[in-house]
Amino acid sequence: MMQSKVDSRFLGSVKTSFFVFPTLPPLVKMFLWFIALGVAISIIILLWRKYKPVSFLQAWFKSFPPLRVAILKFKKGGEAVTEEGKNPAVKGPWKISTDKDVLDWLVMTKQPFDISAERLGQRTLAAVVNVTGIQGRDIVVKVKDVVTESLLAPGAKVKCIFAELQKNGKKVNAFVGSVKTVSESGEAVVTRTSAFGFIKRRAFSRRKVADQRYIKVKIWRLDGDDFDVDFVLDNMEPEIIIDNRMDVDAELKVPQILDISKGGIALLGAVRDGGNMLSRNDNVLLCMLIYQPKRKTFDPHILYCEVRAAKSASEGMIRLSFQFLRSLKIPPRKRSTLFRGQAVMAMNLAQPEKEQ
């Protein structure tokens, strides 16, 4: 009994000695904290000098393909928005230093690019592709959308345009090459025959029509290259007519010209009842009147065109874009009668105060 009491008291004193730390004055505690902090900083400095983590991290980051860091803008609620769509956030092109970086970036991002070829003296889109691999100077692509099949053929000289990059202070977005092979599975190989350079994505700048009364259009679908302009104008009804006598709000879903350039035109229209529907690669005859304010007359044009895009726009409307291929001679007797009342329309535009 006595022995147990001694043991319990002894164990209690030992427990108290191990778990109760003596109370220290505040100044002593602060001094000890400073010593601990100094020791920790010394250890960090020694490790930094010995292992050089900066060099290690730089080498590690360089082992990855070049990436562009997007600068994000934030809404009031804290939600980040990207540059895609209505709220651009990425500013400027990706920065690349070598040709190899460009090739690595094309493969890493499976970059889509346009393949274009020269036709009738102007650049024409042949296909839209995605890069899948690099084999020396050969670039392997997956064809995403064939626009002009005849231009995507082995041996064709092409220009390939991709998203803009910054290479050694210069903009690059294209290279020149030739189509090596095209397979039935939708794969193609393009051999690069030039260095990377810069090509404007659009050969001609587009302009919106300020006043819909200033331009009028008629469109006939053609079955081929063998046609007679006089016969078409005299005996065939146009598939689409855009003849606005009043200015049109661009937001309204009514037939109108969306934009025009030296190389083509885009419009929103409706195919007449019983008319031929238009689709990509169709050939058309396009009659166009453009008002010339200096002469106070409508200048007529007849052009042979190709449909480059045709997309449904709801409410029975279709959005069409055309590439001008060549101008055609206008029959003299048709110059002033291509549209009904074009002389009166020109007079009204010249004297707007007399419009009713």
Side-chain angles (χ1 to χ4, degrees):
M1 188 70 175
M2 180 64 70
Q3 184 65 33
S4 63
K5 289 183 179 180
V6 172
D7 292 342
S8 63
R9 285 196 300 270
F10 175 75
L11 292 174
S13 63
V14 172
K15 185 176 180 180
T16 302
S17 300
F18 274 96
F19 291 95
V20 177
F21 193 81
T23 303
L24 297 176
L27 291 176
V28 176
K29 288 183 178 180
M30 186 178 297
F31 176 72
L32 293 175
W33 276 112
F34 275 119
I35 291 177
L37 183 61
V39 171
I41 292 174
S42 300
I43 293 173
I44 292 173
I45 292 174
L46 289 173
L47 293 174
W48 189 278
R49 289 180 177 178
K50 183 177 181 180
Y51 295 104
K52 297 180 180 180
V54 173
S55 301
F56 171 76
L57 290 174
Q58 287 179 347
W60 185 68
F61 279 118
K62 286 183 179 179
S63 65
F64 289 90
L67 296 175
R68 178 178 61 175
V69 180
I71 302 173
L72 296 179
K73 296 180 179 179
F74 290 87
K75 298 179 181 178
K76 292 183 179 180
E79 180 184 355
V81 293
T82 64
E83 182 166 327
E84 302 297 332
K86 298 181 179 179
N87 299 303
V90 179
K91 296 182 179 179
W94 292 34
K95 294 184 178 180
I96 300 294
S97 58
T98 65
D99 285 357
K100 184 179 182 304
D101 291 341
V102 177
L103 295 172
D104 289 341
W105 177 78
L106 289 173
V107 177
M108 178 190 66
T109 60
K110 294 184 179 179
Q111 186 63 209
F113 63 75
D114 298 343
I115 296 180
S116 301
E118 293 294 323
R119 180 177 61 164
L120 299 176
Q122 61 177 311
R123 194 168 74 224
T124 301
L125 182 63
V128 179
V129 302
N130 289 91
V131 179
T132 59
I134 303 293
Q135 299 174 358
R137 299 188 68 85
D138 292 342
I139 299 177
V140 184
V141 299
K142 181 71 175 179
V143 179
K144 183 179 178 181
D145 185 16
V146 178
V147 181
T148 311
E149 188 174 359
S150 60
L151 299 178
L152 190 68
K157 305 298 182 183
V158 295
K159 295 179 180 178
C160 302
I161 304 176
F162 48 85
E164 185 179 308
L165 300 172
Q166 191 82 19
K167 180 176 176 286
N168 297 328
K170 296 182 179 180
K171 294 179 181 179
V172 296
N173 74 335
F175 64 89
V176 177
S178 63
V179 179
K180 187 175 182 180
T181 60
V182 180
S183 67
E184 295 181 357
S185 61
E187 289 188 350
V189 177
V190 179
T191 302
R192 186 164 61 93
T193 59
S194 75
F196 291 106
F198 183 81
I199 299 175
K200 285 186 178 181
R201 185 170 289 273
R202 297 195 180 280
F204 303 104
S205 59
R206 295 179 177 181
R207 293 185 179 180
K208 292 186 177 180
V209 178
D211 191 326
Q212 291 291 321
R213 295 173 297 174
Y214 283 17
I215 183 169
K216 304 174 188 304
V217 170
K218 289 182 180 180
I219 297 169
W220 291 264
R221 182 179 177 276
L222 303 173
D223 292 328
D225 293 337
D226 186 15
F227 62 92
D228 182 85
V229 175
D230 285 13
F231 178 81
V232 172
L233 296 178
D234 290 337
N235 300 284
M236 297 176 63
E237 289 189 51
E239 265 63 61
I240 294 176
I241 298 177
I242 298 181
D243 182 10
N244 293 307
R245 303 301 173 96
M246 301 294 292
D247 194 12
V248 174
D249 188 345
E251 299 299 325
L252 297 177
K253 279 288 183 73
V254 297
Q256 58 184 293
I257 309 299
L258 300 177
D259 57 60
I260 187 171
S261 72
K262 291 183 179 179
I265 190 171
L267 55 86
L268 187 69
V271 177
R272 65 175 174 83
D273 291 341
N276 295 310
M277 184 59 68
L278 301 176
S279 58
R280 178 189 283 176
N281 296 326
D282 281 348
N283 296 324
V284 300
L285 184 69
L286 189 146
C287 167
M288 179 168 54
L289 294 183
I290 299 179
Y291 182 70
Q292 302 295 332
K294 290 184 179 180
R295 297 199 299 268
K296 298 179 181 179
T297 59
F298 279 99
D299 192 6
H301 303 271
I302 294 183
L303 303 114
Y304 178 65
C305 309
E306 184 177 272
V307 181
R308 306 306 294 155
K311 198 176 292 184
S312 175
S314 72
E315 299 180 18
M317 308 291 285
I318 183 171
R319 191 190 188 285
L320 295 159
S321 60
F322 303 88
Q323 182 178 7
F324 301 150
L325 297 182
R326 64 176 183 268
S327 296
L328 302 174
K329 187 177 180 180
I330 304 172
R333 61 187 177 80
K334 284 289 185 180
R335 292 187 66 88
S336 59
T337 59
L338 289 172
F339 279 79
R340 292 180 181 178
Q342 65 189 60
V344 176
M345 291 186 293
M347 183 178 62
N348 290 336
L349 287 174
Q351 301 174 343
E353 67 277 0
K354 292 185 179 181
E355 290 185 22
Q356 294 181 356

Short mmCIF file of all heavy atoms in Angstrom, two decimals, residues 20-73:
data_model
loop_
_atom_site.label_atom_id
_atom_site.label_comp_id
_atom_site.label_asym_id
_atom_site.label_seq_id
_atom_site.Cartn_x
_atom_site.Cartn_y
_atom_site.Cartn_z
N VAL A 20 4.72 20.86 -18.05
CA VAL A 20 4.48 22.23 -17.60
C VAL A 20 5.72 23.05 -17.91
O VAL A 20 6.80 22.76 -17.38
CB VAL A 20 4.15 22.29 -16.09
CG1 VAL A 20 3.99 23.74 -15.67
CG2 VAL A 20 2.90 21.49 -15.80
N PHE A 21 5.59 24.01 -18.83
CA PHE A 21 6.72 24.87 -19.21
C PHE A 21 6.68 26.10 -18.33
O PHE A 21 5.62 26.70 -18.12
CB PHE A 21 6.60 25.26 -20.68
CG PHE A 21 7.86 25.87 -21.22
CD1 PHE A 21 8.90 25.05 -21.62
CD2 PHE A 21 8.01 27.24 -21.31
CE1 PHE A 21 10.07 25.60 -22.13
CE2 PHE A 21 9.17 27.78 -21.80
CZ PHE A 21 10.21 26.97 -22.21
N PRO A 22 7.81 26.50 -17.78
CA PRO A 22 7.82 27.65 -16.86
C PRO A 22 7.40 28.93 -17.58
O PRO A 22 7.70 29.12 -18.76
CB PRO A 22 9.27 27.72 -16.39
CG PRO A 22 10.06 27.00 -17.44
CD PRO A 22 9.15 25.92 -17.96
N THR A 23 6.73 29.80 -16.94
CA THR A 23 6.28 31.07 -17.50
C THR A 23 7.47 31.98 -17.71
O THR A 23 8.30 32.18 -16.80
CB THR A 23 5.27 31.75 -16.54
OG1 THR A 23 4.18 30.86 -16.31
CG2 THR A 23 4.77 33.05 -17.14
N LEU A 24 7.56 32.53 -18.99
CA LEU A 24 8.67 33.40 -19.34
C LEU A 24 8.20 34.84 -19.47
O LEU A 24 7.08 35.09 -19.92
CB LEU A 24 9.31 32.95 -20.65
CG LEU A 24 9.93 31.56 -20.68
CD1 LEU A 24 10.42 31.23 -22.07
CD2 LEU A 24 11.07 31.46 -19.67
N PRO A 25 9.07 35.76 -19.17
CA PRO A 25 8.70 37.18 -19.36
C PRO A 25 8.51 37.49 -20.84
O PRO A 25 9.12 36.85 -21.71
CB PRO A 25 9.92 37.93 -18.80
CG PRO A 25 10.61 36.96 -17.92
CD PRO A 25 10.36 35.60 -18.51
N PRO A 26 7.68 38.45 -21.20
CA PRO A 26 7.42 38.79 -22.60
C PRO A 26 8.67 39.13 -23.38
O PRO A 26 8.81 38.77 -24.54
CB PRO A 26 6.48 40.00 -22.51
CG PRO A 26 5.83 39.87 -21.18
CD PRO A 26 6.83 39.23 -20.27
N LEU A 27 9.61 39.84 -22.80
CA LEU A 27 10.84 40.21 -23.52
C LEU A 27 11.66 38.98 -23.88
O LEU A 27 12.26 38.91 -24.95
CB LEU A 27 11.68 41.17 -22.66
CG LEU A 27 11.08 42.57 -22.47
CD1 LEU A 27 11.96 43.40 -21.53
CD2 LEU A 27 10.92 43.29 -23.80
N VAL A 28 11.69 37.99 -22.96
CA VAL A 28 12.43 36.76 -23.24
C VAL A 28 11.78 36.00 -24.39
O VAL A 28 12.45 35.48 -25.30
CB VAL A 28 12.51 35.88 -21.98
CG1 VAL A 28 13.19 34.55 -22.31
CG2 VAL A 28 13.26 36.60 -20.87
N LYS A 29 10.43 35.93 -24.39
CA LYS A 29 9.72 35.26 -25.48
C LYS A 29 10.02 35.92 -26.82
O LYS A 29 10.29 35.26 -27.84
CB LYS A 29 8.21 35.28 -25.23
CG LYS A 29 7.75 34.35 -24.13
CD LYS A 29 6.24 34.40 -24.02
CE LYS A 29 5.73 33.44 -22.96
NZ LYS A 29 4.26 33.46 -22.84
N MET A 30 10.01 37.25 -26.87
CA MET A 30 10.28 37.97 -28.12
C MET A 30 11.70 37.70 -28.60
O MET A 30 11.94 37.51 -29.80
CB MET A 30 10.07 39.48 -27.88
CG MET A 30 10.18 40.33 -29.15
SD MET A 30 9.87 42.06 -28.83
CE MET A 30 8.17 42.00 -28.28
N PHE A 31 12.65 37.66 -27.65
CA PHE A 31 14.03 37.39 -28.00
C PHE A 31 14.17 35.99 -28.63
O PHE A 31 14.84 35.81 -29.64
CB PHE A 31 14.90 37.51 -26.75
CG PHE A 31 16.34 37.15 -26.97
CD1 PHE A 31 17.18 37.98 -27.70
CD2 PHE A 31 16.84 35.97 -26.47
CE1 PHE A 31 18.51 37.64 -27.91
CE2 PHE A 31 18.16 35.63 -26.68
CZ PHE A 31 19.00 36.45 -27.40
N LEU A 32 13.50 35.02 -28.02
CA LEU A 32 13.57 33.65 -28.55
C LEU A 32 12.94 33.56 -29.95
O LEU A 32 13.43 32.84 -30.82
CB LEU A 32 12.88 32.69 -27.58
CG LEU A 32 13.58 32.49 -26.22
CD1 LEU A 32 12.74 31.60 -25.32
CD2 LEU A 32 14.96 31.88 -26.41
N TRP A 33 11.84 34.29 -30.17
CA TRP A 33 11.21 34.30 -31.50
C TRP A 33 12.14 34.88 -32.55
O TRP A 33 12.23 34.38 -33.67
CB TRP A 33 9.90 35.10 -31.47
CG TRP A 33 8.71 34.32 -31.00
CD1 TRP A 33 8.00 34.49 -29.85
CD2 TRP A 33 8.10 33.23 -31.69
NE1 TRP A 33 6.99 33.59 -29.75
CE2 TRP A 33 7.01 32.78 -30.88
CE3 TRP A 33 8.36 32.57 -32.88
CZ2 TRP A 33 6.20 31.72 -31.24
CZ3 TRP A 33 7.55 31.53 -33.25
CH2 TRP A 33 6.49 31.10 -32.43
N PHE A 34 12.86 35.94 -32.20
CA PHE A 34 13.81 36.54 -33.14
C PHE A 34 14.93 35.57 -33.48
O PHE A 34 15.38 35.49 -34.63
CB PHE A 34 14.38 37.83 -32.55
CG PHE A 34 13.51 39.03 -32.80
CD1 PHE A 34 12.98 39.75 -31.73
CD2 PHE A 34 13.21 39.45 -34.09
CE1 PHE A 34 12.19 40.85 -31.95
CE2 PHE A 34 12.41 40.56 -34.31
CZ PHE A 34 11.88 41.26 -33.24
N ILE A 35 15.40 34.84 -32.47
CA ILE A 35 16.45 33.85 -32.73
C ILE A 35 15.95 32.77 -33.68
O ILE A 35 16.63 32.38 -34.65
CB ILE A 35 16.94 33.22 -31.40
CG1 ILE A 35 17.70 34.27 -30.57
CG2 ILE A 35 17.82 32.01 -31.68
CD1 ILE A 35 18.14 33.75 -29.23
N ALA A 36 14.74 32.27 -33.43
CA ALA A 36 14.17 31.24 -34.29
C ALA A 36 13.99 31.74 -35.73
O ALA A 36 14.28 31.03 -36.70
CB ALA A 36 12.82 30.78 -33.73
N LEU A 37 13.54 32.98 -35.88
CA LEU A 37 13.35 33.57 -37.20
C LEU A 37 14.69 33.70 -37.94
O LEU A 37 14.80 33.42 -39.13
CB LEU A 37 12.66 34.92 -37.08
CG LEU A 37 12.33 35.65 -38.39
CD1 LEU A 37 11.38 34.82 -39.25
CD2 LEU A 37 11.71 37.02 -38.11
N GLY A 38 15.72 34.16 -37.20
CA GLY A 38 17.04 34.30 -37.81
C GLY A 38 17.61 32.97 -38.27
O GLY A 38 18.20 32.87 -39.35
N VAL A 39 17.42 31.92 -37.45
CA VAL A 39 17.90 30.59 -37.84
C VAL A 39 17.18 30.11 -39.09
O VAL A 39 17.80 29.54 -40.01
CB VAL A 39 17.71 29.61 -36.68
CG1 VAL A 39 18.01 28.19 -37.13
CG2 VAL A 39 18.61 29.98 -35.50
N ALA A 40 15.84 30.32 -39.17
CA ALA A 40 15.07 29.88 -40.33
C ALA A 40 15.52 30.59 -41.60
O ALA A 40 15.68 29.97 -42.66
CB ALA A 40 13.58 30.12 -40.09
N ILE A 41 15.76 31.91 -41.50
CA ILE A 41 16.21 32.68 -42.68
C ILE A 41 17.58 32.19 -43.13
O ILE A 41 17.85 32.06 -44.34
CB ILE A 41 16.23 34.18 -42.35
CG1 ILE A 41 14.79 34.70 -42.16
CG2 ILE A 41 16.92 34.97 -43.45
CD1 ILE A 41 14.70 36.14 -41.70
N SER A 42 18.46 31.92 -42.17
CA SER A 42 19.81 31.43 -42.51
C SER A 42 19.74 30.10 -43.25
O SER A 42 20.45 29.87 -44.23
CB SER A 42 20.64 31.29 -41.24
OG SER A 42 20.76 32.54 -40.57
N ILE A 43 18.87 29.21 -42.78
CA ILE A 43 18.71 27.90 -43.44
C ILE A 43 18.20 28.08 -44.86
O ILE A 43 18.67 27.43 -45.81
CB ILE A 43 17.78 27.00 -42.61
CG1 ILE A 43 18.45 26.65 -41.27
CG2 ILE A 43 17.42 25.74 -43.39
CD1 ILE A 43 17.53 25.91 -40.32
N ILE A 44 17.21 28.97 -45.05
CA ILE A 44 16.64 29.20 -46.39
C ILE A 44 17.70 29.75 -47.34
O ILE A 44 17.81 29.34 -48.50
CB ILE A 44 15.44 30.16 -46.29
CG1 ILE A 44 14.27 29.47 -45.57
CG2 ILE A 44 15.00 30.62 -47.69
CD1 ILE A 44 13.10 30.37 -45.28
N ILE A 45 18.54 30.71 -46.85
CA ILE A 45 19.58 31.30 -47.69
C ILE A 45 20.60 30.24 -48.11
O ILE A 45 21.03 30.17 -49.26
CB ILE A 45 20.27 32.46 -46.95
CG1 ILE A 45 19.29 33.63 -46.80
CG2 ILE A 45 21.52 32.91 -47.70
CD1 ILE A 45 19.81 34.77 -45.96
N LEU A 46 21.00 29.39 -47.15
CA LEU A 46 21.96 28.33 -47.46
C LEU A 46 21.41 27.37 -48.51
O LEU A 46 22.10 26.99 -49.46
CB LEU A 46 22.33 27.58 -46.18
CG LEU A 46 23.20 28.36 -45.17
CD1 LEU A 46 23.34 27.55 -43.88
CD2 LEU A 46 24.58 28.65 -45.77
N LEU A 47 20.13 26.96 -48.34
CA LEU A 47 19.52 26.06 -49.31
C LEU A 47 19.39 26.72 -50.68
O LEU A 47 19.57 26.07 -51.72
CB LEU A 47 18.15 25.60 -48.80
CG LEU A 47 18.16 24.70 -47.55
CD1 LEU A 47 16.74 24.44 -47.07
CD2 LEU A 47 18.86 23.37 -47.84
N TRP A 48 19.04 28.01 -50.72
CA TRP A 48 18.87 28.75 -51.98
C TRP A 48 20.19 28.80 -52.76
O TRP A 48 20.21 28.59 -53.96
CB TRP A 48 18.39 30.16 -51.66
CG TRP A 48 17.97 30.95 -52.88
CD1 TRP A 48 18.78 31.63 -53.73
CD2 TRP A 48 16.65 31.12 -53.37
NE1 TRP A 48 18.05 32.22 -54.71
CE2 TRP A 48 16.73 31.92 -54.52
CE3 TRP A 48 15.40 30.68 -52.94
CZ2 TRP A 48 15.62 32.29 -55.26
CZ3 TRP A 48 14.29 31.06 -53.67
CH2 TRP A 48 14.40 31.85 -54.82
N ARG A 49 21.31 29.09 -52.00
CA ARG A 49 22.60 29.17 -52.67
C ARG A 49 23.09 27.81 -53.14
O ARG A 49 23.77 27.70 -54.16
CB ARG A 49 23.64 29.79 -51.71
CG ARG A 49 23.41 31.27 -51.46
CD ARG A 49 24.45 31.82 -50.52
NE ARG A 49 24.29 33.26 -50.33
CZ ARG A 49 25.04 34.00 -49.51
NH1 ARG A 49 26.02 33.41 -48.81
NH2 ARG A 49 24.84 35.28 -49.40
N LYS A 50 22.74 26.80 -52.41
CA LYS A 50 23.25 25.47 -52.74
C LYS A 50 22.52 24.85 -53.92
O LYS A 50 23.13 24.31 -54.84
CB LYS A 50 23.14 24.55 -51.51
CG LYS A 50 23.72 23.16 -51.75
CD LYS A 50 23.66 22.33 -50.49
CE LYS A 50 24.26 20.93 -50.74
NZ LYS A 50 24.22 20.10 -49.52
N TYR A 51 21.18 24.94 -53.92
CA TYR A 51 20.39 24.24 -54.95
C TYR A 51 19.93 25.13 -56.10
O TYR A 51 19.44 24.64 -57.12
CB TYR A 51 19.17 23.57 -54.29
CG TYR A 51 19.56 22.48 -53.32
CD1 TYR A 51 19.51 22.69 -51.94
CD2 TYR A 51 20.01 21.25 -53.78
CE1 TYR A 51 19.86 21.69 -51.04
CE2 TYR A 51 20.38 20.25 -52.89
CZ TYR A 51 20.30 20.47 -51.53
OH TYR A 51 20.67 19.48 -50.64
N LYS A 52 20.01 26.48 -55.96
CA LYS A 52 19.65 27.44 -57.02
C LYS A 52 18.29 27.10 -57.66
O LYS A 52 18.20 26.69 -58.82
CB LYS A 52 20.73 27.45 -58.09
CG LYS A 52 22.07 27.92 -57.56
CD LYS A 52 23.13 27.93 -58.66
CE LYS A 52 24.47 28.41 -58.11
NZ LYS A 52 25.51 28.42 -59.15
N PRO A 53 17.22 27.27 -56.93
CA PRO A 53 15.89 26.90 -57.46
C PRO A 53 15.45 27.72 -58.66
O PRO A 53 14.67 27.26 -59.48
CB PRO A 53 14.96 27.12 -56.26
CG PRO A 53 15.70 28.08 -55.38
CD PRO A 53 17.15 27.79 -55.56
N VAL A 54 15.97 28.96 -58.80
CA VAL A 54 15.56 29.80 -59.94
C VAL A 54 16.00 29.16 -61.25
O VAL A 54 15.23 29.04 -62.21
CB VAL A 54 16.14 31.22 -59.80
CG1 VAL A 54 15.85 32.03 -61.07
CG2 VAL A 54 15.55 31.92 -58.58
N SER A 55 17.26 28.74 -61.30
CA SER A 55 17.76 28.09 -62.52
C SER A 55 17.00 26.80 -62.81
O SER A 55 16.70 26.48 -63.96
CB SER A 55 19.25 27.80 -62.37
OG SER A 55 19.96 28.99 -62.14
N PHE A 56 16.70 26.07 -61.75
CA PHE A 56 15.96 24.82 -61.92
C PHE A 56 14.58 25.08 -62.49
O PHE A 56 14.12 24.42 -63.42
CB PHE A 56 15.86 24.10 -60.57
CG PHE A 56 14.93 22.92 -60.59
CD1 PHE A 56 15.31 21.72 -61.18
CD2 PHE A 56 13.65 23.01 -60.04
CE1 PHE A 56 14.45 20.64 -61.20
CE2 PHE A 56 12.79 21.94 -60.07
CZ PHE A 56 13.19 20.76 -60.65
N LEU A 57 13.87 26.10 -61.95
CA LEU A 57 12.52 26.41 -62.43
C LEU A 57 12.55 26.91 -63.86
O LEU A 57 11.68 26.58 -64.67
CB LEU A 57 11.87 27.45 -61.51
CG LEU A 57 11.50 26.97 -60.10
CD1 LEU A 57 11.01 28.14 -59.26
CD2 LEU A 57 10.42 25.89 -60.17
N GLN A 58 13.56 27.74 -64.21
CA GLN A 58 13.65 28.23 -65.59
C GLN A 58 13.84 27.08 -66.57
O GLN A 58 13.20 27.03 -67.63
CB GLN A 58 14.81 29.22 -65.69
CG GLN A 58 14.53 30.57 -65.04
CD GLN A 58 15.73 31.51 -65.14
OE1 GLN A 58 16.84 31.08 -65.47
NE2 GLN A 58 15.50 32.78 -64.86
N ALA A 59 14.73 26.16 -66.22
CA ALA A 59 14.96 25.01 -67.09
C ALA A 59 13.70 24.15 -67.20
O ALA A 59 13.38 23.61 -68.27
CB ALA A 59 16.12 24.18 -66.55
N TRP A 60 12.96 24.03 -66.10
CA TRP A 60 11.74 23.22 -66.10
C TRP A 60 10.68 23.84 -66.99
O TRP A 60 10.03 23.17 -67.77
CB TRP A 60 11.25 23.07 -64.67
CG TRP A 60 10.07 22.16 -64.55
CD1 TRP A 60 10.03 20.82 -64.76
CD2 TRP A 60 8.73 22.54 -64.19
NE1 TRP A 60 8.76 20.33 -64.55
CE2 TRP A 60 7.93 21.37 -64.20
CE3 TRP A 60 8.13 23.74 -63.86
CZ2 TRP A 60 6.59 21.37 -63.89
CZ3 TRP A 60 6.78 23.75 -63.54
CH2 TRP A 60 6.03 22.58 -63.57
N PHE A 61 10.51 25.17 -66.89
CA PHE A 61 9.50 25.83 -67.70
C PHE A 61 9.88 25.81 -69.18
O PHE A 61 9.01 25.71 -70.05
CB PHE A 61 9.31 27.29 -67.24
CG PHE A 61 8.42 27.42 -66.04
CD1 PHE A 61 8.89 27.94 -64.84
CD2 PHE A 61 7.10 27.02 -66.09
CE1 PHE A 61 8.07 28.05 -63.73
CE2 PHE A 61 6.26 27.13 -64.99
CZ PHE A 61 6.75 27.65 -63.80
N LYS A 62 11.18 25.92 -69.48
CA LYS A 62 11.61 25.90 -70.89
C LYS A 62 11.37 24.55 -71.54
O LYS A 62 11.35 24.44 -72.77
CB LYS A 62 13.08 26.28 -70.99
CG LYS A 62 13.34 27.76 -70.78
CD LYS A 62 14.82 28.08 -70.96
CE LYS A 62 15.06 29.58 -70.76
NZ LYS A 62 16.49 29.91 -70.91
N SER A 63 11.23 23.50 -70.75
CA SER A 63 10.99 22.18 -71.31
C SER A 63 9.60 22.03 -71.90
O SER A 63 9.32 21.10 -72.63
CB SER A 63 11.20 21.10 -70.24
OG SER A 63 10.23 21.22 -69.20
N PHE A 64 8.69 22.98 -71.58
CA PHE A 64 7.32 22.94 -72.11
C PHE A 64 7.24 23.73 -73.40
O PHE A 64 8.02 24.65 -73.63
CB PHE A 64 6.34 23.52 -71.09
CG PHE A 64 6.13 22.64 -69.89
CD1 PHE A 64 6.93 22.79 -68.76
CD2 PHE A 64 5.15 21.67 -69.88
CE1 PHE A 64 6.75 21.98 -67.65
CE2 PHE A 64 4.96 20.86 -68.78
CZ PHE A 64 5.76 21.02 -67.66
N PRO A 65 6.27 23.41 -74.29
CA PRO A 65 6.04 24.23 -75.49
C PRO A 65 5.64 25.64 -75.08
O PRO A 65 5.10 25.84 -73.99
CB PRO A 65 4.87 23.52 -76.21
CG PRO A 65 4.90 22.13 -75.66
CD PRO A 65 5.40 22.24 -74.25
N PRO A 66 5.93 26.64 -75.92
CA PRO A 66 5.63 28.03 -75.55
C PRO A 66 4.14 28.24 -75.38
O PRO A 66 3.34 27.77 -76.17
CB PRO A 66 6.17 28.84 -76.74
CG PRO A 66 6.20 27.85 -77.87
CD PRO A 66 6.51 26.52 -77.26
N LEU A 67 3.77 28.95 -74.37
CA LEU A 67 2.38 29.24 -74.07
C LEU A 67 2.18 30.73 -73.95
O LEU A 67 3.09 31.47 -73.57
CB LEU A 67 1.94 28.57 -72.77
CG LEU A 67 1.96 27.04 -72.73
CD1 LEU A 67 1.62 26.56 -71.34
CD2 LEU A 67 0.97 26.48 -73.72
N ARG A 68 0.98 31.17 -74.27
CA ARG A 68 0.62 32.57 -74.06
C ARG A 68 -0.22 32.66 -72.80
O ARG A 68 -1.16 31.91 -72.62
CB ARG A 68 -0.17 33.10 -75.26
CG ARG A 68 -0.62 34.53 -75.10
CD ARG A 68 -1.35 35.02 -76.33
NE ARG A 68 -2.53 34.25 -76.57
CZ ARG A 68 -3.40 34.54 -77.53
NH1 ARG A 68 -3.17 35.55 -78.33
NH2 ARG A 68 -4.47 33.80 -77.71
N VAL A 69 0.12 33.61 -71.94
CA VAL A 69 -0.63 33.80 -70.71
C VAL A 69 -1.72 34.83 -70.98
O VAL A 69 -1.42 35.96 -71.36
CB VAL A 69 0.28 34.29 -69.57
CG1 VAL A 69 -0.54 34.49 -68.30
CG2 VAL A 69 1.38 33.27 -69.33
N ALA A 70 -2.96 34.44 -70.83
CA ALA A 70 -4.08 35.35 -71.09
C ALA A 70 -4.24 36.32 -69.94
O ALA A 70 -4.20 35.95 -68.78
CB ALA A 70 -5.38 34.54 -71.27
N ILE A 71 -4.40 37.59 -70.31
CA ILE A 71 -4.69 38.62 -69.31
C ILE A 71 -6.19 38.66 -69.14
O ILE A 71 -6.92 38.96 -70.07
CB ILE A 71 -4.15 39.98 -69.77
CG1 ILE A 71 -2.66 39.88 -70.01
CG2 ILE A 71 -4.47 41.06 -68.76
CD1 ILE A 71 -2.06 41.12 -70.64
N LEU A 72 -6.67 38.40 -67.95
CA LEU A 72 -8.10 38.30 -67.72
C LEU A 72 -8.65 39.57 -67.13
O LEU A 72 -8.01 40.24 -66.32
CB LEU A 72 -8.40 37.14 -66.76
CG LEU A 72 -8.03 35.74 -67.28
CD1 LEU A 72 -8.36 34.72 -66.22
CD2 LEU A 72 -8.77 35.43 -68.55
N LYS A 73 -9.83 39.92 -67.57
CA LYS A 73 -10.58 41.00 -66.96
C LYS A 73 -11.66 40.36 -66.10
O LYS A 73 -12.15 39.29 -66.39
CB LYS A 73 -11.22 41.87 -68.03
CG LYS A 73 -10.21 42.60 -68.90
CD LYS A 73 -10.93 43.44 -69.94
CE LYS A 73 -9.92 44.19 -70.81
NZ LYS A 73 -10.61 45.00 -71.84
#
